[in-house]
Amino acid sequence: MAGWTGEVVIASPSLMSDSWSLPYNLEQHWVVDSTRIRQELGYGEPVLLAEALSAYH
C-alpha cells in the first residue's frame, strides 16, 4: 500500500462537479480469463484468496 492513508469512495454522478465530467464515455465492460497463463506457464496463486484477504481484516 506504500503508506497511502487515503480512502476510495463511490460517489453518485449527481454529486460530482461538472469540471470532473468528460466529453466521452470511458465505461468499459471487461471479462478476464487467466486460463492460458495457468496452462502454459503453470501459474498458480502463491497465496489462497481467503488467506490474502485475512490480512486486511
Side-chain angles (χ1 to χ4, degrees), residues 7-18:
E7 181 180 0
V8 175
V9 297
I10 298 172
S12 168
S14 65
L15 299 175
M16 302 299 289
S17 165
D18 287 340

Side-chain angles (χ1 to χ4, degrees), residues 6-54:
E7 181 180 0
V8 175
V9 297
I10 298 172
S12 168
S14 65
L15 299 175
M16 302 299 289
S17 165
D18 287 340
S19 65
W20 284 66
S21 65
L22 298 173
Y24 36 83
N25 182 354
L26 297 177
E27 185 174 327
Q28 299 178 21
H29 300 280
W30 290 20
V31 175
V32 180
D33 181 357
S34 62
T35 301
R36 185 173 174 190
I37 191 171
R38 292 173 188 282
Q39 290 176 344
E40 291 184 14
L41 302 178
Y43 176 80
E45 303 301 333
V47 178
L48 295 175
L49 178 60
E51 183 181 344
L53 294 176
S54 70

